[in-house]
């Protein structure tokens, strides 16, 4: 909830200059802020991502003009941040890794109470030279989030890639096709429940020179 | 840039624009033609397909289709230990693999919180800059060859071979370098400085010859000037980085913007262009070769003595002699190999300046030896996304130089 944001900020007296500026403009929309090894990241509700992105790009003090990366994380049965609640993931983590990696043999951990996916954006400002990471949680049963193509056109291919590999739909994307894999591919391969050795059904060749289908006799 | 280059910036035919060119053929009946360029086409180095809609010679629509070299780099990295993934990064940008090795190891070291010794940082910079020069030489040579200039390609490939000799002397491989380790690197061989300087000078002379053959060549300039143009503002919005962005006049270079290793102490210039066309991309790359050479020579002069590996026991394997003789070291080795070391749980993003732009590795660790999530931000992928808009409105023949100057590397783009 956005109302819980201020306490987490008050706990951290050492805010980076960037986070002071970001908080001044976006405090009501930021769910929480974390810092690890000097990387600032903010968590935002997925309904607010377009508004946040617009402010980050247009504000002259922030001026995030370059969208470096869009990707997703599949926290299958894991909490949001590994550095916080270690005991939650420890047991499942071991179970998941020890078994063979075929999907039909793998005992996946129970789905946790947290939303399964997180969409991650990496930004940099080429004038102020500061970097920021944005995370939005996206639940499994409704994997949708607003597309950032109106703000940064460069999100186009990056979002297509995220759709291809994670199956997260970007609402308002002009051309949401698969980018690496073929259209008939079943599933999304970077999800944790897609095994590394899983096989795909063989597709009949259609196109120039294809053989006629055999007639029933 | 020489005065000669500044004169007659835009070749006459390109200056007239698509509307004027189309007016020449107003009374001719033409139908849009759909052609497929690639995935196996001599000018599409790196497998990529461009579906073009042509009206006469003019491109009216283009669809760039990638993915022919998709190997699941990220999935593979999530199932292997952190120390096992270094050879995979060679295969990302296979014409400058050292830069990927360095970028990956820096990201993992940032996760562990390790700082490498100064000598290691110098050696990484030397390897990386040699690799960058080699990449630019291949990009320029291949593009020149696609425009039917075969001689400069031979010159540049010979120069590239001299640089690969040096990388070979350090790590024993020309292309699949596997140059770095987490927390360290390979040490330079005896007498490397003299060996390197002699080869660098020869490589620079060859590059200067190729430069003379290309830069003032009217045919080359006619094909390059004014084609594939995109303004710096648009390039930024599309997420383009590297020499292509700098040719559009935006001085964004990760080595200057957020310095890593020892780049903050080195003396080098960031060349930028002003027109954002293919010719500026060519000139920026040509100048970057010379700047990288400056960096390598500075590093060779200032190279400090000392260890090349970090002493951090979380990543450094104990010496073999002790492994076979002592209990603690044996256990240490056993745990490190079979469990991959234990980084703290957390997530980091570290970017380095690759040959085509910002190469970033984003690692989410759950505290085990394998990354929960591994992501490579590859410059070729983002650079290719606005290619469609550079091609539309140009001619079919402009596809070749524009694509060549984007320098798409299939392994990095498709991962």
């Amino acid at each position: 909830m956005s109302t819980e944001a201020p306490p987490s900020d008050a706990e951290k007296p050492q805010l980076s200059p960037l986070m002071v500026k970001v908080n001044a403009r976006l405090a009501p929309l930021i769910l929480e802020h974390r810092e690890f090894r000097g990387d600032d990241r903010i968590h935002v509700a997925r309904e607010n991502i377009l508004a946040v992105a617009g402010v980050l790009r247009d504000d002259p003090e922030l001026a995030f003009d370059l969208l470096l990366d869009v990707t997703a994380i599949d926290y299958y049965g894991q909490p949001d941040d590994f550095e916080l609640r270690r005991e939650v993931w420890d047991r499942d983590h071991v179970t998941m890794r020890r078994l063979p990696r075929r999907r039909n043999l793998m005992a996946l951990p129970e789905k946790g109470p947290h939303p399964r996916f997180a969409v991650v954006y990496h930004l940099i400002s080429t004038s102020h030279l500061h970097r920021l990471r944005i995370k939005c949680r996206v639940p499994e049963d409704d994997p949708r989030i607003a597309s950032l193509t109106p703000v940064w056109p460069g999100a186009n291919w990056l979002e297509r890639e995220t759709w291809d590999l994670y199956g997260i739909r970007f609402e308002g994307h002009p051309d949401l096709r698969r980018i690496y894999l073929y259209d008939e591919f079943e599933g999304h391969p970077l999800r944790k429940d897609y095994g590394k050795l899983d096989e795909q059904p063989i597709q009949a060749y259609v196109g120039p020179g294809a053989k006629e289908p055999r007639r029933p006799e | 840039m020489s005065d000669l280059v500044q004169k007659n910036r835009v070749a006459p035919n390109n200056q007239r624009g698509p509307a004027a060119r189309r007016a020449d053929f107003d009374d001719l009946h033409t139908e849009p033609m759909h052609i497929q360029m690639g995935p196996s086409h001599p000018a599409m180095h790196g497998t990529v397909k461009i579906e073009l809609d042509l009206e006469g010679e003019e491109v009216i629509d283009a669809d760039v289709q990638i993915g022919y070299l998709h190997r699941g780099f990220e999935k593979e990295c999530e199932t292997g230990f952190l120390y096992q993934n270094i050879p995979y990064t060679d295969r990302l940008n296979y014409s400058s693999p050292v830069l990927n090795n360095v970028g990956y190891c820096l990201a993992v070291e940032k996760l562990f919180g390790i700082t490498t010794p100064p000598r290691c940082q110098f050696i990484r910079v030397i390897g990386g800059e040699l690799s960058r020069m080699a990449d630019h030489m291949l990009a320029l040579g291949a593009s020149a060859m696609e425009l039917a200039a075969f001689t400069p390609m031979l010159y540049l490939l010979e120069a590239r071979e001299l640089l690969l000799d040096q990388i070979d002397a350090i790590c024993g491989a020309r292309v699949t370098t596997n140059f770095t380790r987490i927390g360290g690197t390979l040490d330079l061989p005896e007498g490397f400085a003299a060996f390197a300087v002699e080869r660098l000078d020869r490589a620079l002379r060859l590059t200067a010859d190729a430069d003379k053959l290309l830069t003032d060549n009217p045919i080359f300039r006619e094909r390059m000037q004014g084609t594939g143009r995109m303004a710096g503002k648009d390039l930024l919005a599309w997420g383009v980085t590297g020499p292509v962005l700098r040719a559009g006049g935006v001085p964004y270079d990760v080595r200057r913007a957020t310095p890593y290793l020892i780049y903050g102490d080195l003396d080098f210039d960031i060349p930028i262009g002003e027109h954002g066309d293919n010719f500026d991309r060519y000139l920026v790359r040509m100048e970057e070769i010379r700047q990288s050479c400056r960096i390598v020579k500075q590093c060779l002069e200032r190279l400090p003595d000392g260890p090349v590996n970090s002493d951090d026991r979380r990543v450094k394997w104990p010496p073999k002699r002790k492994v076979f003789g002592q209990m603690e070291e044996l256990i240490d080795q056993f745990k490190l190999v079979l469990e991959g070391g234990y980084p703290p749980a957390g997530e980091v993003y570290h970017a380095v300046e690759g040959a085509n732009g910002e190469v970033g590795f984003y690692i989410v660790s759950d505290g085990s030896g394998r990354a929960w999530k591994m992501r490579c931000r590859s410059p070729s992928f983002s650079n290719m996304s606005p290619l469609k808009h550079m091609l539309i409105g140009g001619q079919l023949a402009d596809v070749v130089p524009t694509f060549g100057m984007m320098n798409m590397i299939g392994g990095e783009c498709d991962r």
Side-chain angles (χ1 to χ4, degrees), chain A residues 36-37 39 41 65-76 78 81-83 86 89 93 96-97 101 120 122 124 126 129 131 133 135 152-154 156-158 160-161 165-166 177 179-181 189-192 194-196, chain B residues 63-67 70 74-76 78-79 110-113 236-241 245 250 252 254 256-258 344-349 351 358 362 364-368 370-373 375 377 381-382 384-385 413-415:
Chain A
F36 182 72
R37 302 264 188 251
D39 290 3
R41 72 173 189 268
D65 45 6
L66 183 54
L67 173 70
L68 289 171
D69 197 14
V70 178
T71 185
I73 307 174
D74 182 0
Y75 289 101
Y76 194 100
Q78 314 293 326
D81 282 297
F82 292 110
E83 58 258 56
R86 206 180 165 87
W89 57 266
H93 160 84
M96 195 163 163
R97 288 281 160 78
R101 297 196 190 96
V120 185
H122 284 96
I124 188 171
T126 53
L129 303 178
R131 292 174 187 270
R133 181 182 312 145
K135 274 174 102 168
W152 293 286
N156 189 321
W157 275 29
L158 294 163
R160 275 177 69 188
E161 186 193 357
L165 303 180
Y166 282 96
R177 285 176 292 153
I179 192 163
Y180 287 144
L181 306 168
L190 275 186
R191 289 186 171 193
K192 289 286 177 188
Y194 190 97
K196 193 179 119 182
Chain B
D63 182 23
V64 184
Q65 296 178 5
I66 61 167
H70 181 60
E74 287 157 12
K75 190 85 180 171
E76 203 72 44
E78 286 167 16
T79 49
K110 185 173 175 183
L111 177 66
F112 274 100
L236 265 183
W238 277 96
V240 175
T241 49
L245 177 65
V250 183
Y252 174 66
V254 187
R256 273 286 155 74
T258 48
E347 50 186 74
V348 292
Y349 175 85
E358 173 163 340
Y362 174 51
V364 179
S365 167
D366 58 355
S368 73
R370 295 181 173 93
W372 180 262
K373 157 84 184 166
R375 162 81 181 168
R377 189 266 173 205
F381 183 82
S382 291
M384 284 293 282
S385 62
C413 184
D414 298 347
R415 289 192 296 275

Side-chain angles (χ1 to χ4, degrees), chain A residues 157, chain B residues 48 50 62 64 230 238 382-392 399 402-403 406:
Chain A
W157 275 29
Chain B
V48 60
I50 306 183
V64 184
M230 198 176 221
W238 277 96
S382 291
N383 288 6
M384 284 293 282
S385 62
L387 181 66
K388 168 183 176 178
H389 300 279
M390 297 179 191
L391 298 180
I392 290 176
V399 174
T402 307
F403 182 78
M406 298 313 286

Side-chain angles (χ1 to χ4, degrees), chain B residues 114-127:
Chain B
I114 296 172
T115 311
T116 46
R119 186 174 172 87
C120 169
Q121 302 196 8
F122 273 84
I123 294 174
R124 285 180 175 185
V125 169
I126 291 172

